[in-house]
mmCIF file of all heavy atoms in Angstrom:
data_model
loop_
_atom_site.group_PDB
_atom_site.id
_atom_site.type_symbol
_atom_site.label_atom_id
_atom_site.label_comp_id
_atom_site.label_asym_id
_atom_site.label_seq_id
_atom_site.Cartn_x
_atom_site.Cartn_y
_atom_site.Cartn_z
ATOM 1 N N GLU I 1 -10.995 -14.768 -5.904
ATOM 2 C CA GLU I 1 -11.353 -16.131 -5.497
ATOM 3 C C GLU I 1 -10.626 -16.548 -4.216
ATOM 4 O O GLU I 1 -11.013 -17.508 -3.562
ATOM 5 C CB GLU I 1 -11.002 -17.123 -6.614
ATOM 6 C CG GLU I 1 -11.811 -16.959 -7.884
ATOM 7 C CD GLU I 1 -13.261 -17.379 -7.721
ATOM 8 O OE1 GLU I 1 -13.539 -18.221 -6.847
ATOM 9 O OE2 GLU I 1 -14.122 -16.857 -8.461
ATOM 10 N N PHE I 2 -9.581 -15.797 -3.863
ATOM 11 C CA PHE I 2 -8.767 -16.158 -2.702
ATOM 12 C C PHE I 2 -9.497 -15.789 -1.409
ATOM 13 O O PHE I 2 -10.048 -14.694 -1.276
ATOM 14 C CB PHE I 2 -7.425 -15.417 -2.767
ATOM 15 C CG PHE I 2 -6.527 -15.651 -1.593
ATOM 16 C CD1 PHE I 2 -5.918 -16.883 -1.407
ATOM 17 C CD2 PHE I 2 -6.304 -14.646 -0.670
ATOM 18 C CE1 PHE I 2 -5.080 -17.098 -0.317
ATOM 19 C CE2 PHE I 2 -5.477 -14.850 0.418
ATOM 20 C CZ PHE I 2 -4.863 -16.085 0.594
ATOM 21 N N LYS I 3 -9.523 -16.701 -0.465
ATOM 22 C CA LYS I 3 -10.193 -16.474 0.815
ATOM 23 C C LYS I 3 -9.157 -16.139 1.892
ATOM 24 O O LYS I 3 -8.383 -17.000 2.320
ATOM 25 C CB LYS I 3 -10.990 -17.726 1.234
ATOM 26 C CG LYS I 3 -12.041 -18.160 0.220
ATOM 27 C CD LYS I 3 -13.089 -17.085 0.002
ATOM 28 C CE LYS I 3 -14.155 -17.562 -0.997
ATOM 29 N NZ LYS I 3 -15.146 -16.512 -1.307
ATOM 30 N N LEU I 4 -9.119 -14.900 2.294
ATOM 31 C CA LEU I 4 -8.183 -14.452 3.317
ATOM 32 C C LEU I 4 -8.783 -14.678 4.701
ATOM 33 O O LEU I 4 -9.948 -14.355 4.932
ATOM 34 C CB LEU I 4 -7.876 -12.958 3.132
ATOM 35 C CG LEU I 4 -6.811 -12.353 4.046
ATOM 36 C CD1 LEU I 4 -5.420 -12.794 3.591
ATOM 37 C CD2 LEU I 4 -6.923 -10.824 4.037
ATOM 38 N N PRO I 5 -8.022 -15.246 5.640
ATOM 39 C CA PRO I 5 -8.530 -15.398 7.016
ATOM 40 C C PRO I 5 -8.991 -14.054 7.574
ATOM 41 O O PRO I 5 -8.301 -13.041 7.419
ATOM 42 C CB PRO I 5 -7.316 -15.941 7.772
ATOM 43 C CG PRO I 5 -6.493 -16.631 6.734
ATOM 44 C CD PRO I 5 -6.668 -15.823 5.473
ATOM 45 N N THR I 6 -10.146 -14.037 8.209
ATOM 46 C CA THR I 6 -10.742 -12.772 8.677
ATOM 47 C C THR I 6 -9.890 -12.044 9.700
ATOM 48 O O THR I 6 -10.040 -10.831 9.864
ATOM 49 C CB THR I 6 -12.132 -13.036 9.281
ATOM 50 O OG1 THR I 6 -12.012 -14.024 10.318
ATOM 51 C CG2 THR I 6 -13.100 -13.538 8.217
ATOM 52 N N LYS I 7 -8.979 -12.748 10.360
ATOM 53 C CA LYS I 7 -8.156 -12.093 11.374
ATOM 54 C C LYS I 7 -7.219 -11.041 10.763
ATOM 55 O O LYS I 7 -6.686 -10.184 11.483
ATOM 56 C CB LYS I 7 -7.342 -13.124 12.159
ATOM 57 C CG LYS I 7 -6.329 -13.905 11.334
ATOM 58 C CD LYS I 7 -5.583 -14.918 12.203
ATOM 59 C CE LYS I 7 -4.569 -15.721 11.383
ATOM 60 N NZ LYS I 7 -3.852 -16.699 12.230
ATOM 61 N N TYR I 8 -7.017 -11.126 9.446
ATOM 62 C CA TYR I 8 -6.143 -10.160 8.774
ATOM 63 C C TYR I 8 -6.912 -8.981 8.180
ATOM 64 O O TYR I 8 -6.309 -8.064 7.624
ATOM 65 C CB TYR I 8 -5.346 -10.844 7.655
ATOM 66 C CG TYR I 8 -4.417 -11.934 8.142
ATOM 67 C CD1 TYR I 8 -4.641 -13.263 7.799
ATOM 68 C CD2 TYR I 8 -3.319 -11.630 8.941
ATOM 69 C CE1 TYR I 8 -3.795 -14.267 8.236
ATOM 70 C CE2 TYR I 8 -2.462 -12.632 9.394
ATOM 71 C CZ TYR I 8 -2.709 -13.941 9.044
ATOM 72 O OH TYR I 8 -1.871 -14.941 9.482
ATOM 73 N N ASN I 9 -8.237 -9.002 8.270
ATOM 74 C CA ASN I 9 -9.055 -7.969 7.623
ATOM 75 C C ASN I 9 -8.680 -6.557 8.042
ATOM 76 O O ASN I 9 -8.536 -5.659 7.209
ATOM 77 C CB ASN I 9 -10.537 -8.211 7.901
ATOM 78 C CG ASN I 9 -11.098 -9.351 7.064
ATOM 79 O OD1 ASN I 9 -10.357 -10.064 6.398
ATOM 80 N ND2 ASN I 9 -12.403 -9.524 7.098
ATOM 81 N N SER I 10 -8.523 -6.356 9.332
ATOM 82 C CA SER I 10 -8.248 -5.013 9.838
ATOM 83 C C SER I 10 -6.942 -4.466 9.271
ATOM 84 O O SER I 10 -6.875 -3.297 8.850
ATOM 85 C CB SER I 10 -8.176 -5.043 11.375
ATOM 86 O OG SER I 10 -7.881 -3.761 11.877
ATOM 87 N N LEU I 11 -5.905 -5.298 9.239
ATOM 88 C CA LEU I 11 -4.611 -4.871 8.693
ATOM 89 C C LEU I 11 -4.729 -4.577 7.205
ATOM 90 O O LEU I 11 -4.195 -3.558 6.722
ATOM 91 C CB LEU I 11 -3.565 -5.960 8.939
ATOM 92 C CG LEU I 11 -2.174 -5.710 8.340
ATOM 93 C CD1 LEU I 11 -1.543 -4.466 8.956
ATOM 94 C CD2 LEU I 11 -1.272 -6.931 8.538
ATOM 95 N N VAL I 12 -5.433 -5.436 6.491
ATOM 96 C CA VAL I 12 -5.613 -5.252 5.049
ATOM 97 C C VAL I 12 -6.358 -3.950 4.765
ATOM 98 O O VAL I 12 -5.989 -3.186 3.870
ATOM 99 C CB VAL I 12 -6.364 -6.449 4.427
ATOM 100 C CG1 VAL I 12 -6.800 -6.141 2.990
ATOM 101 C CG2 VAL I 12 -5.474 -7.686 4.446
ATOM 102 N N TYR I 13 -7.408 -3.667 5.542
ATOM 103 C CA TYR I 13 -8.159 -2.422 5.364
ATOM 104 C C TYR I 13 -7.252 -1.207 5.529
ATOM 105 O O TYR I 13 -7.300 -0.251 4.744
ATOM 106 C CB TYR I 13 -9.306 -2.325 6.374
ATOM 107 C CG TYR I 13 -10.423 -3.323 6.171
ATOM 108 C CD1 TYR I 13 -11.245 -3.692 7.234
ATOM 109 C CD2 TYR I 13 -10.674 -3.887 4.924
ATOM 110 C CE1 TYR I 13 -12.275 -4.605 7.063
ATOM 111 C CE2 TYR I 13 -11.697 -4.792 4.740
ATOM 112 C CZ TYR I 13 -12.502 -5.157 5.814
ATOM 113 O OH TYR I 13 -13.518 -6.059 5.645
ATOM 114 N N ARG I 14 -6.419 -1.248 6.573
ATOM 115 C CA ARG I 14 -5.561 -0.091 6.863
ATOM 116 C C ARG I 14 -4.556 0.152 5.738
ATOM 117 O O ARG I 14 -4.348 1.298 5.318
ATOM 118 C CB ARG I 14 -4.823 -0.294 8.189
ATOM 119 C CG ARG I 14 -5.709 -0.157 9.420
ATOM 120 C CD ARG I 14 -4.873 0.151 10.663
ATOM 121 N NE ARG I 14 -3.958 -0.940 10.969
ATOM 122 C CZ ARG I 14 -4.256 -1.974 11.745
ATOM 123 N NH1 ARG I 14 -5.466 -2.071 12.276
ATOM 124 N NH2 ARG I 14 -3.361 -2.921 11.983
ATOM 125 N N ILE I 15 -3.948 -0.926 5.254
ATOM 126 C CA ILE I 15 -2.962 -0.763 4.178
ATOM 127 C C ILE I 15 -3.657 -0.376 2.869
ATOM 128 O O ILE I 15 -3.163 0.471 2.118
ATOM 129 C CB ILE I 15 -2.139 -2.048 3.993
ATOM 130 C CG1 ILE I 15 -1.390 -2.403 5.280
ATOM 131 C CG2 ILE I 15 -1.131 -1.875 2.850
ATOM 132 C CD1 ILE I 15 -0.640 -3.718 5.209
ATOM 133 N N SER I 16 -4.813 -0.966 2.610
ATOM 134 C CA SER I 16 -5.558 -0.652 1.393
ATOM 135 C C SER I 16 -5.941 0.827 1.334
ATOM 136 O O SER I 16 -5.928 1.437 0.264
ATOM 137 C CB SER I 16 -6.815 -1.518 1.317
ATOM 138 O OG SER I 16 -7.622 -1.154 0.217
ATOM 139 N N ASN I 17 -6.269 1.401 2.473
ATOM 140 C CA ASN I 17 -6.631 2.820 2.525
ATOM 141 C C ASN I 17 -5.476 3.729 2.108
ATOM 142 O O ASN I 17 -5.687 4.904 1.800
ATOM 143 C CB ASN I 17 -7.088 3.200 3.931
ATOM 144 C CG ASN I 17 -8.470 2.670 4.251
ATOM 145 O OD1 ASN I 17 -9.256 2.357 3.355
ATOM 146 N ND2 ASN I 17 -8.787 2.534 5.526
ATOM 147 N N LEU I 18 -4.265 3.173 2.120
ATOM 148 C CA LEU I 18 -3.085 3.957 1.756
ATOM 149 C C LEU I 18 -2.752 3.842 0.272
ATOM 150 O O LEU I 18 -1.878 4.543 -0.226
ATOM 151 C CB LEU I 18 -1.869 3.486 2.567
ATOM 152 C CG LEU I 18 -2.008 3.425 4.092
ATOM 153 C CD1 LEU I 18 -0.733 2.837 4.706
ATOM 154 C CD2 LEU I 18 -2.272 4.809 4.668
ATOM 155 N N SER I 19 -3.438 2.939 -0.447
ATOM 156 C CA SER I 19 -3.014 2.570 -1.803
ATOM 157 C C SER I 19 -3.013 3.749 -2.780
ATOM 158 O O SER I 19 -2.072 3.909 -3.565
ATOM 159 C CB SER I 19 -3.875 1.426 -2.347
ATOM 160 O OG SER I 19 -5.250 1.788 -2.379
ATOM 161 N N LEU I 20 -4.047 4.592 -2.743
ATOM 162 C CA LEU I 20 -4.064 5.749 -3.637
ATOM 163 C C LEU I 20 -2.917 6.692 -3.301
ATOM 164 O O LEU I 20 -2.219 7.183 -4.189
ATOM 165 C CB LEU I 20 -5.404 6.489 -3.545
ATOM 166 C CG LEU I 20 -5.499 7.773 -4.379
ATOM 167 C CD1 LEU I 20 -5.273 7.486 -5.863
ATOM 168 C CD2 LEU I 20 -6.846 8.461 -4.170
ATOM 169 N N GLY I 21 -2.721 6.927 -2.013
ATOM 170 C CA GLY I 21 -1.623 7.794 -1.581
ATOM 171 C C GLY I 21 -0.271 7.244 -1.986
ATOM 172 O O GLY I 21 0.630 8.001 -2.374
ATOM 173 N N VAL I 22 -0.121 5.927 -1.916
ATOM 174 C CA VAL I 22 1.133 5.295 -2.347
ATOM 175 C C VAL I 22 1.353 5.525 -3.835
ATOM 176 O O VAL I 22 2.458 5.866 -4.277
ATOM 177 C CB VAL I 22 1.132 3.784 -2.014
ATOM 178 C CG1 VAL I 22 2.302 3.078 -2.711
ATOM 179 C CG2 VAL I 22 1.211 3.569 -0.515
ATOM 180 N N TYR I 23 0.289 5.360 -4.613
ATOM 181 C CA TYR I 23 0.405 5.589 -6.062
ATOM 182 C C TYR I 23 0.836 7.033 -6.334
ATOM 183 O O TYR I 23 1.687 7.293 -7.184
ATOM 184 C CB TYR I 23 -0.917 5.300 -6.765
ATOM 185 C CG TYR I 23 -0.812 5.384 -8.265
ATOM 186 C CD1 TYR I 23 -0.526 4.252 -9.019
ATOM 187 C CD2 TYR I 23 -0.960 6.602 -8.939
ATOM 188 C CE1 TYR I 23 -0.394 4.320 -10.406
ATOM 189 C CE2 TYR I 23 -0.822 6.682 -10.313
ATOM 190 C CZ TYR I 23 -0.545 5.541 -11.040
ATOM 191 O OH TYR I 23 -0.401 5.637 -12.401
ATOM 192 N N LEU I 24 0.253 7.970 -5.603
ATOM 193 C CA LEU I 24 0.547 9.381 -5.827
ATOM 194 C C LEU I 24 1.962 9.757 -5.391
ATOM 195 O O LEU I 24 2.634 10.540 -6.055
ATOM 196 C CB LEU I 24 -0.461 10.247 -5.055
ATOM 197 C CG LEU I 24 -1.923 10.139 -5.479
ATOM 198 C CD1 LEU I 24 -2.820 10.820 -4.456
ATOM 199 C CD2 LEU I 24 -2.140 10.739 -6.862
ATOM 200 N N SER I 25 2.426 9.191 -4.272
ATOM 201 C CA SER I 25 3.659 9.663 -3.639
ATOM 202 C C SER I 25 4.906 8.856 -3.952
ATOM 203 O O SER I 25 6.022 9.357 -3.783
ATOM 204 C CB SER I 25 3.465 9.697 -2.121
ATOM 205 O OG SER I 25 3.260 8.387 -1.610
ATOM 206 N N HIS I 26 4.765 7.601 -4.386
ATOM 207 C CA HIS I 26 5.951 6.743 -4.500
ATOM 208 C C HIS I 26 6.969 7.270 -5.504
ATOM 209 O O HIS I 26 8.179 7.091 -5.334
ATOM 210 C CB HIS I 26 5.543 5.308 -4.876
ATOM 211 C CG HIS I 26 5.225 5.130 -6.326
ATOM 212 N ND1 HIS I 26 4.006 5.461 -6.880
ATOM 213 C CD2 HIS I 26 5.981 4.663 -7.361
ATOM 214 C CE1 HIS I 26 4.024 5.205 -8.172
ATOM 215 N NE2 HIS I 26 5.202 4.712 -8.495
ATOM 216 N N PHE I 27 6.482 7.944 -6.542
ATOM 217 C CA PHE I 27 7.400 8.477 -7.554
ATOM 218 C C PHE I 27 8.275 9.575 -6.956
ATOM 219 O O PHE I 27 9.448 9.721 -7.313
ATOM 220 C CB PHE I 27 6.598 9.012 -8.741
ATOM 221 C CG PHE I 27 7.247 8.751 -10.069
ATOM 222 C CD1 PHE I 27 7.140 7.512 -10.675
ATOM 223 C CD2 PHE I 27 7.961 9.739 -10.719
ATOM 224 C CE1 PHE I 27 7.733 7.259 -11.903
ATOM 225 C CE2 PHE I 27 8.554 9.499 -11.947
ATOM 226 C CZ PHE I 27 8.447 8.262 -12.539
ATOM 227 N N LEU I 28 7.706 10.331 -6.035
ATOM 228 C CA LEU I 28 8.468 11.377 -5.350
ATOM 229 C C LEU I 28 9.553 10.747 -4.471
ATOM 230 O O LEU I 28 10.681 11.256 -4.406
ATOM 231 C CB LEU I 28 7.533 12.244 -4.510
ATOM 232 C CG LEU I 28 8.116 13.536 -3.924
ATOM 233 C CD1 LEU I 28 8.616 14.454 -5.034
ATOM 234 C CD2 LEU I 28 7.064 14.254 -3.092
ATOM 235 N N VAL I 29 9.207 9.640 -3.803
ATOM 236 C CA VAL I 29 10.198 8.922 -2.994
ATOM 237 C C VAL I 29 11.336 8.422 -3.881
ATOM 238 O O VAL I 29 12.514 8.546 -3.534
ATOM 239 C CB VAL I 29 9.535 7.731 -2.245
ATOM 240 C CG1 VAL I 29 10.591 6.909 -1.503
ATOM 241 C CG2 VAL I 29 8.483 8.247 -1.266
ATOM 242 N N LEU I 30 10.993 7.860 -5.049
ATOM 243 C CA LEU I 30 12.010 7.400 -5.996
ATOM 244 C C LEU I 30 12.896 8.554 -6.467
ATOM 245 O O LEU I 30 14.121 8.402 -6.577
ATOM 246 C CB LEU I 30 11.340 6.753 -7.213
ATOM 247 C CG LEU I 30 10.775 5.340 -7.031
ATOM 248 C CD1 LEU I 30 9.949 4.930 -8.249
ATOM 249 C CD2 LEU I 30 11.897 4.332 -6.812
ATOM 250 N N MET I 31 12.292 9.697 -6.723
ATOM 251 C CA MET I 31 13.049 10.861 -7.180
ATOM 252 C C MET I 31 14.006 11.359 -6.107
ATOM 253 O O MET I 31 15.140 11.761 -6.404
ATOM 254 C CB MET I 31 12.085 11.969 -7.615
ATOM 255 C CG MET I 31 11.308 11.652 -8.882
ATOM 256 S SD MET I 31 9.858 12.722 -9.159
ATOM 257 C CE MET I 31 10.642 14.271 -9.534
ATOM 258 N N LEU I 32 13.567 11.302 -4.863
ATOM 259 C CA LEU I 32 14.426 11.735 -3.753
ATOM 260 C C LEU I 32 15.604 10.781 -3.584
ATOM 261 O O LEU I 32 16.747 11.215 -3.382
ATOM 262 C CB LEU I 32 13.605 11.816 -2.462
ATOM 263 C CG LEU I 32 12.627 12.988 -2.365
ATOM 264 C CD1 LEU I 32 11.674 12.805 -1.189
ATOM 265 C CD2 LEU I 32 13.396 14.308 -2.219
ATOM 266 N N PHE I 33 15.343 9.484 -3.671
ATOM 267 C CA PHE I 33 16.433 8.505 -3.607
ATOM 268 C C PHE I 33 17.418 8.746 -4.750
ATOM 269 O O PHE I 33 18.639 8.718 -4.554
ATOM 270 C CB PHE I 33 15.876 7.077 -3.699
ATOM 271 C CG PHE I 33 15.516 6.471 -2.377
ATOM 272 C CD1 PHE I 33 14.269 5.915 -2.168
ATOM 273 C CD2 PHE I 33 16.428 6.442 -1.335
ATOM 274 C CE1 PHE I 33 13.926 5.339 -0.955
ATOM 275 C CE2 PHE I 33 16.111 5.874 -0.108
ATOM 276 C CZ PHE I 33 14.848 5.319 0.086
ATOM 277 N N ASN I 34 16.874 8.958 -5.934
ATOM 278 C CA ASN I 34 17.707 9.170 -7.113
ATOM 279 C C ASN I 34 18.566 10.429 -6.963
ATOM 280 O O ASN I 34 19.714 10.473 -7.410
ATOM 281 C CB ASN I 34 16.830 9.270 -8.359
ATOM 282 C CG ASN I 34 17.631 9.142 -9.642
ATOM 283 O OD1 ASN I 34 18.347 8.170 -9.840
ATOM 284 N ND2 ASN I 34 17.531 10.134 -10.505
ATOM 285 N N TYR I 35 18.018 11.443 -6.326
ATOM 286 C CA TYR I 35 18.754 12.693 -6.098
ATOM 287 C C TYR I 35 20.010 12.446 -5.271
ATOM 288 O O TYR I 35 21.053 13.083 -5.476
ATOM 289 C CB TYR I 35 17.844 13.708 -5.405
ATOM 290 C CG TYR I 35 18.513 15.024 -5.099
ATOM 291 C CD1 TYR I 35 18.729 15.973 -6.105
ATOM 292 C CD2 TYR I 35 18.953 15.322 -3.805
ATOM 293 C CE1 TYR I 35 19.345 17.184 -5.830
ATOM 294 C CE2 TYR I 35 19.579 16.537 -3.521
ATOM 295 C CZ TYR I 35 19.767 17.457 -4.546
ATOM 296 O OH TYR I 35 20.393 18.647 -4.273
#
């Protein structure tokens, strides 16, 4: 229901395209920090 100003669309698209990769990789980043 939230209406985002269109000027942010391009940035949102770029970050959204990374979302699956973030889900896949973030645990590895956490493991490296923990190491």
Side-chain angles (χ1 to χ4, degrees):
E1 294 290 334
F2 177 70
K3 302 299 181 184
L4 185 75
T6 55
K7 63 181 179 180
Y8 298 114
N9 284 9
S10 179
L11 176 63
V12 169
Y13 292 156
R14 287 201 297 271
I15 300 176
S16 175
N17 286 339
L18 307 176
S19 59
L20 176 59
V22 169
Y23 186 92
L24 296 168
S25 65
H26 79 278
F27 218 80
L28 191 60
V29 175
L30 284 171
M31 291 164 70
L32 287 168
F33 271 128
N34 194 55
Y35 179 77

